[in-house]
């Protein structure tokens, strides 16, 4: 594949009529197949088409996230949002043909059972009657993204974005932390009606889509959209109970010790992000310096990761700096036509930058390792498996942390592990909240706020908001983009962390073998289901009784 410069990469937008004609060709080929061989050729033709379309669709979203106020990018994103349900419909029609194909058995052997399982799920969860709703849903999510990206703060002599403001949570001076938190939540308070209204529309829309598809509530449809093939809401429910039983008490103990170390009683929300009086370790240089250290880190890891990172840099596939109008958050997406992933982040100079970096490179390396798998469906696995590659690499790069943090590397590692444990209750609360929201689709914004408060009582019992009246009123979740854009995407982080911590544990004693297992897992991509992938990587499945307590107790011992 030829290398490109991503910054100037601009393939033409696909036109509806051309797309329709291309799909017709695929269908004609499939319908006319006289044997497995010719049907397989039809599948390959379809896959090539999807790679080309998928590249443009990803690019439209990436560019919009890079500059949410650029008119061309906004127009393209809007067009992509309009086109998406149309493409989904064409794909579903193709998938239906393949599920019903007389050569299915042979095709399944050739391309893998997992694709057929995913397609069954897609066929069951989409009808053309959803198309307009899906366009509206994408529009509402984009509205939220734009709103958040447009937030500006005059703070410490500079105009700052929400991503910039996040770093003050780790500022050593307590008054600065408090002031930054106050400003941040004041902004959300000023936009509360808008955000409440947006979310209310999203919930209503999702409920109505669920009803159109014959579901009682959105939860079961949401699970299908997430491709949860080998576990259901009951499994997640009992996993959450394990978190409450085994992790919440541990997190409370960690907070108690933290307050003691800091000499702060009681520990307030704006103190939570710092673990000791010397302040959190920070990477010892700027963005360009970080890229150099990252190159060294990936050379330390080996396994082809160093060459891969250089390839990403050469093709300008990293957009890491925070700037005005850039969307918040971080993500990795695949550009199948280039055979390369793209990484988006918002560096702000805090230690989190290093974690985001290794996290997204984990996703990227997996996608790259899977680029030649037979089907585009396998470029990424389902999300809970995806997050094993990302969170796993955060831990597997531990021995290189001196490069970023110097003498503070040990403190960084301890903090990383502590934060990981503390994340489990929060991540689970976000998941539990979403289940409550979609089980009660007609709840009012005030009732949703009460649901969130209940989550804080269950999962974050030591949390104290003090005079931050707005988040205290049950609206912290409004700063969590997944709740708006990717329903039910959150427990995935907790499930994956339960697996990533096992990689961390095994790397302590057998690093070389663990790295090999990690790379092999990346190469499997999405060719298997979550439980199968976990099994193939020699990891215990998080739903198994005893898995979660065993994993967290290993981490606790190490702390
Ligand atoms: Zn991730």
């Amino acid at each position: 594949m030829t290398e490109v410069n991503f910054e100037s990469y601009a393939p033409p937008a696909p036109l509806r009529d051309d797309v329709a004609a291309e799909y017709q060709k695929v269908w004609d080929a499939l319908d006319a197949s006289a044997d497995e061989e010719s049907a397989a050729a039809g599948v390959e033709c379809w896959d090539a088409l999807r790679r080309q379309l998928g590249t443009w669709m990803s690019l439209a979203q990436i560019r919009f996230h890079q500059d949410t106020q650029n008119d061309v990018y906004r127009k393209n994103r809007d067009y992509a949002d309009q086109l998406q349900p149309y493409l989904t419909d064409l794909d579903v029609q193709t998938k239906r043909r393949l599920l019903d194909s007389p050569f299915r058995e042979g095709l399944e052997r050739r391309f893998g059972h997992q694709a057929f399982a995913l397609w069954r799920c897609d066929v069951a969860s989409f009808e053309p009657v959803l198309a307009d709703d899906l366009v509206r849903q994408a529009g509402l999510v984009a509205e939220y993204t734009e709103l958040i990206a447009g937030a500006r703060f005059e703070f410490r002599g500079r105009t700052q974005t929400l991503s910039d403001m996040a770093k003050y949570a780790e500022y050593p001076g307590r008054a600065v932390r408090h002031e930054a938190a106050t400003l941040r939540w004041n902004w959300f308070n000023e936009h509360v009606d808008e955000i409440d209204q947006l979310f209310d529309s999203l919930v209503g829309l999702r409920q109505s889509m669920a009803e159109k598809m014959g579901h009682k509530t959105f939860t079961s449809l949401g699970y299908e959209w997430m491709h949860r093939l080998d576990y259901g809401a009951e499994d997640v429910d009992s996993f959450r109970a394990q978190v409450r039983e085994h992790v919440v008490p541990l997190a409370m103990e960690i907070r108690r010790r933290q307050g003691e170390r800091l000499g702060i009683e009681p520990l307030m929300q704006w103190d939570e992000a710092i673990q000791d009086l010397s302040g959190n370790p920070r990477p010892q240089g700027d963005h360009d310096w970080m890229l150099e250290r990252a190159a060294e880190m990936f050379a330390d890891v080996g396994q082809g990761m160093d060459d891969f990172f250089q390839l990403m840099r050469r093709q300008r596939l990293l957009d890491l700096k925070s700037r005005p109008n850039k969307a918040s958050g971080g993500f990795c997406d695949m550009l199948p036509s280039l055979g390369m992933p793209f990484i988006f982040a918002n560096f702000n100079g805090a230690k989190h930058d290093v974690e985001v970096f290794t996290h997204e490179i984990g996703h990227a390396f997996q996608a790259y390792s899977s680029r030649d798998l037979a089907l585009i469906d396998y470029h990424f696995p389902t999300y809970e498996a995806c997050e094993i590659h990302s969170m796993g690499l955060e831990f597997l790069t531990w021995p290189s942390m001196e490069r970023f943090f110097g003498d503070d590397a040990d403190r960084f590692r301890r903090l990383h592990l502590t934060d990981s444990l503390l994340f489990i209750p929060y991540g689970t609360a976000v998941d539990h909240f979403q289940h409550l929201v979609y089980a009660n689709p007609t709840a009012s914004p005030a009732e949703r706020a009460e649901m969130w408060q209940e989550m804080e009582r269950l999962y974050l019992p030591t949390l104290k908001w003090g005079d931050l009246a707005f988040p205290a009123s049950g609206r912290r979740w409004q700063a969590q983009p997944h709740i708006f854009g990717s329903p039910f995407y959150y427990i995935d982080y907790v499930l994956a962390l339960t697996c990533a911590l096992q990689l961390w544990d095994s790397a302590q004693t057998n690093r070389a073998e663990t790295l090999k297992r990690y790379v092999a897992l990346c190469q499997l991509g999405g060719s298997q289901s979550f439980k199968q992938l976990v099994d193939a990587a020699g990891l215990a499945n998080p739903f198994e009784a005893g898995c979660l307590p065993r994993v967290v107790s290993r981490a606790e011992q190490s702390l």
Side-chain angles (χ1 to χ4, degrees):
M1 229 166 267
T2 53
E3 288 188 23
V4 299
N5 177 345
F6 178 77
E7 279 163 19
S8 54
Y9 181 59
L15 302 174
R16 231 172 229 257
D17 289 347
D18 296 348
V19 172
E22 292 295 324
Y23 269 84
Q24 193 57 56
K25 270 193 239 164
V26 169
W27 296 340
D28 290 344
L30 288 175
D31 294 346
S33 312
D35 51 28
E36 184 194 316
E37 205 59 44
S38 52
V43 173
E44 281 158 16
C45 190
W46 171 50
D47 192 68
L49 176 59
R50 284 207 290 167
R51 283 176 196 242
Q52 186 198 335
L53 292 167
T55 300
W56 192 85
M57 297 295 278
S58 290
L59 194 62
Q61 297 298 341
I62 291 169
R63 295 285 190 227
F64 169 68
H65 280 77
Q66 290 185 295
D67 183 355
T68 60
Q69 293 308 305
N70 178 306
D71 284 338
V72 176
Y73 296 168
R74 289 176 70 173
K75 234 179 66 209
N76 279 340
R77 192 225 72 230
D78 200 45
Y79 177 58
D81 287 347
Q82 305 274 339
L83 196 61
Q84 184 59 65
Y86 181 66
L87 297 182
T88 303
D89 184 27
L90 296 173
D91 280 331
V92 162
Q93 293 189 53
T94 317
K95 291 166 186 176
R96 203 168 271 136
R97 273 182 167 78
L98 292 166
L99 290 165
D100 296 340
S101 164
F103 311 109
R104 171 164 167 179
E105 222 183 284
L107 291 174
E108 215 168 317
R109 248 196 325 274
R110 191 184 285 240
F111 293 104
H113 301 299
Q114 174 69 1
F116 283 81
L118 293 169
W119 297 343
R120 243 192 338 266
C121 203
D122 292 332
V123 166
S125 60
F126 177 84
E127 287 291 342
V129 67
L130 297 189
D132 290 344
D133 293 342
L134 288 167
V135 173
R136 251 190 82 210
Q137 173 179 254
L140 289 166
V141 174
E143 246 181 79
Y144 174 83
T145 307
E146 280 184 41
L147 183 68
I148 297 292
R152 292 290 177 280
F153 302 84
E154 295 306 325
F155 189 55
R156 297 176 70 80
R158 284 199 300 127
T159 305
Q160 315 214 31
T161 63
L162 265 175
S163 302
D164 297 329
M165 292 298 282
K167 69 169 173 286
Y168 295 105
E170 296 181 24
Y171 200 83
R174 196 173 189 214
V176 173
R177 292 200 301 272
H178 178 252
E179 194 189 345
T182 305
L183 288 175
R184 181 167 182 260
W185 290 113
N186 280 350
W187 183 88
F188 276 97
N189 192 18
E190 282 159 26
H191 294 84
V192 62
D193 291 340
E194 201 174 345
I195 298 179
D196 271 341
Q197 188 50 54
L198 250 168
F199 191 61
D200 200 58
S201 305
L202 278 169
V203 173
L205 195 56
R206 285 169 183 156
Q207 174 63 23
S208 98
M209 285 193 267
E211 284 168 17
K212 286 178 192 172
M213 295 302 292
H215 295 259
K216 236 175 101 198
T217 68
F218 173 70
T219 307
S220 40
L221 180 62
Y223 269 58
E224 281 178 353
W225 285 1
M226 288 296 284
H227 286 135
R228 293 201 164 141
L229 297 174
D230 45 15
Y231 60 96
E234 320 72 51
D235 301 296
V236 176
D237 189 50
S238 59
F239 181 77
R240 287 196 303 261
Q242 288 196 57
V243 170
R244 292 193 296 273
E245 186 182 345
H246 300 286
V247 191
V248 171
L250 171 62
M252 288 170 73
E253 175 58 18
I254 292 176
R255 288 294 185 209
R256 194 191 58 74
R257 277 186 250 148
Q258 180 185 3
E260 236 170 55
R261 240 184 349 265
L262 293 170
I264 296 176
E265 223 304 289
L267 192 76
M268 304 304 290
Q269 188 274 338
W270 53 90
D271 303 315
E272 288 193 340
I274 61 162
Q275 286 287 340
D276 63 53
L277 287 170
S278 41
N280 288 348
R282 293 162 60 90
Q284 298 171 340
D286 63 5
H287 166 271
D288 295 346
W289 178 90
M290 292 258 301
L291 287 181
E292 295 310 318
R293 300 296 78 74
E296 295 163 7
M297 166 172 69
F298 294 121
D300 295 342
V301 176
Q303 317 289 327
M305 219 171 267
D306 36 355
D307 293 340
F308 164 67
F309 182 64
Q310 294 305 347
L311 207 54
M312 293 284 288
R313 284 182 83 180
R314 266 209 311 279
Q315 300 191 48
R316 309 219 168 259
L317 290 161
L318 306 159
D319 180 352
L320 307 173
K321 274 193 223 177
S322 168
R323 60 175 176 269
N325 296 327
K326 186 171 165 176
S328 68
F331 64 83
C332 164
D333 205 352
M334 184 65 177
L335 298 158
S337 296
L338 305 185
M340 291 298 289
F342 171 84
I343 290 179
F344 178 93
N346 276 284
F347 281 8
N348 61 16
K351 71 166 172 52
H352 190 55
D353 291 357
V354 176
E355 292 157 358
V356 171
F357 207 9
T358 51
H359 181 104
E360 300 303 340
I361 288 281
H363 285 309
F365 182 69
Q366 176 269 306
Y368 177 73
S369 306
S370 311
R371 69 195 183 283
D372 292 329
L373 292 176
L375 296 168
I376 190 174
D377 307 78
Y378 297 158
H379 275 172
F380 288 110
T382 45
Y383 290 126
E384 71 301 68
C386 273
E387 301 300 345
I388 305 176
H389 314 122
S390 53
M391 291 175 150
L393 192 61
E394 288 181 46
F395 288 115
L396 294 172
T397 49
W398 264 23
S400 303
M401 287 302 114
E402 269 76 4
R403 297 191 184 280
F404 294 93
F405 299 103
D407 292 344
D408 267 347
D410 253 335
R411 285 208 307 132
F412 169 81
R413 286 185 280 260
R414 183 190 308 266
L415 202 53
H416 181 203
L417 195 57
T418 307
D419 286 347
S420 299
L421 291 176
L422 289 172
F423 172 76
I424 294 175
Y426 173 73
T428 311
V430 170
D431 178 68
H432 196 158
F433 174 67
Q434 297 188 78
H435 282 83
L436 294 181
V437 164
Y438 293 107
N440 303 280
T442 56
S444 67
E447 287 167 330
R448 282 187 200 119
E450 278 168 29
M451 290 173 192
W452 179 260
Q453 283 176 318
E454 173 64 13
M455 296 301 95
E456 289 190 348
R457 279 192 291 274
L458 271 181
Y459 293 95
L460 306 160
T462 59
L463 177 64
K464 290 185 183 58
W465 289 108
D467 62 353
L468 300 178
F470 180 70
S473 74
R475 284 192 169 81
R476 178 196 193 164
W477 58 272
Q478 303 204 327
Q480 187 62 64
H482 300 71
I483 293 178
F484 295 80
S486 316
F488 294 114
Y489 184 174
Y490 221 74
I491 199 65
D492 304 68
Y493 291 108
V494 185
L495 296 172
L497 183 56
T498 312
C499 298
L501 281 169
Q502 296 176 53
L503 289 172
W504 161 80
D505 190 23
S506 110
Q508 314 280 323
T509 47
N510 201 344
R511 181 168 170 80
E513 184 264 349
T514 310
L515 279 175
K516 283 210 172 64
R517 272 198 286 149
Y518 174 80
V519 171
L521 179 67
C522 289
Q523 288 166 346
L524 283 176
S527 63
Q528 298 180 17
S529 71
F530 173 61
K531 285 187 182 170
Q532 290 169 335
L533 288 170
V534 165
D535 205 39
L539 303 169
N541 141 29
F543 295 113
E544 216 174 272
C547 171
L548 181 69
R550 195 167 59 240
V551 168
V552 296
S553 93
R554 294 288 299 157
E556 189 195 9
Q557 279 162 24
S558 155
L559 287 172

